[in-house]
Amino acid sequence: MTEQQGTPDQLPAQKGQGGSGLAVFEFENFRGKKVELSGECKDVLEKTQRVGSVIVESGPWVGFGRPSFAGEQFVLEKGSYPRWSTWTSCQSSYNLSSFRPLKVDSADHKLHLFEKAGFEGRKMEIVDNDVPSLWAYGFQDRVASAKAVNGTWVGYMYPGYRGSQYVFEHGDFKHWNDWGATAPQIQSVRRVRDMQCPPLPLIPIPLPTQNPKLNPNLNATSPATQGPAEGTQPLL
């Protein structure tokens, strides 16, 4: 069985379908019982037997695999999710049991990733860009701590925005357990914005050409030198 896209093949939400912010439906393709949410919900399964599809009229939101905001995380930006494969690529985990709105504190985005817990080891700074592969920019897949300096982000276990998702709202994350992970592995990250989000690619893209208008502002550094990491150069 092939792995499917984990971030939206989203369709534009129709006016009036989910006017309260987020609407969940019992079955796929927006059929069956409908539950509208305007704020956090610790256990939507008290209101419906299951969640088969979702419409986000205003967002973004994060859904959780278990009640009380526990378990796998699934970022839901503005749009329509007609079946489970449109909000996750984890075929062994796709249940949605609780929801809360995501905090979007800034239109600017800056994220610091660290190799070791407690903000130690090699560091990567990402500014106002999405990164489908950390490896492509000379950074390893081990991410043990992070600082969301500006904006809200989502990290993925695998390249191309696939696998388990981890939300980084504004603040410090000294250990991978702080963002709900069981291992210090992240291989791609992207910004979460309060807008319609287009489909994302399934595979890493090549390094961009040296065009300052296209290059992300990425910088992998070592705390000892605060210069470029060995074998890499910052993209300015």
Side-chain angles (χ1 to χ4, degrees), residues 57-177:
E57 182 74 13
S58 60
W61 292 65
V62 57
F64 295 84
R66 299 203 303 268
S68 299
F69 318 120
E72 291 280 348
Q73 303 169 37
F74 306 98
V75 173
L76 302 167
E77 286 156 298
K78 193 179 299 182
S80 301
Y81 301 78
R83 64 195 62 85
W84 68 267
S85 59
T86 57
W87 66 71
T88 180
S89 64
C90 295
Q91 299 191 19
S92 62
S93 178
Y94 52 84
N95 294 324
L96 290 172
S97 299
S98 52
F99 298 85
R100 67 172 178 84
L102 275 176
K103 302 170 185 175
V104 180
D105 71 316
S106 171
D108 299 322
H109 288 77
K110 181 185 290 187
L111 179 68
H112 293 166
L113 303 177
F114 298 86
E115 178 186 14
K116 299 180 181 179
F119 317 120
E120 300 291 337
R122 297 183 70 222
K123 172 186 174 183
M124 182 177 190
E125 179 181 84
I126 306 168
V127 181
D128 287 333
N129 264 284
D130 303 331
V131 181
S133 173
L134 300 186
W135 277 101
Y137 292 97
F139 200 71
Q140 70 282 328
D141 62 351
R142 179 184 171 86
V143 177
S145 55
K147 291 185 178 184
V149 182
N150 294 111
T152 301
W153 299 76
V154 54
Y156 295 82
M157 182 173 283
Y158 303 120
Y161 315 114
R162 294 175 295 129
S164 298
Q165 303 176 29
Y166 307 111
V167 171
F168 297 94
E169 291 171 295
H170 180 265
D172 294 349
F173 302 82
K174 293 183 178 181
H175 191 276
W176 62 87
N177 292 158

Side-chain angles (χ1 to χ4, degrees), residues 32-61:
K33 185 176 181 180
K34 175 183 177 182
V35 177
E36 293 188 348
L37 303 176
S38 58
E40 65 178 36
C41 176
K42 290 186 176 181
D43 191 358
V44 75
L45 300 183
E46 293 179 346
K47 307 174 187 291
T48 183
Q49 290 187 347
R50 64 187 297 271
V51 176
S53 50
V54 178
I55 290 177
V56 180
E57 182 74 13
S58 60
W61 292 65

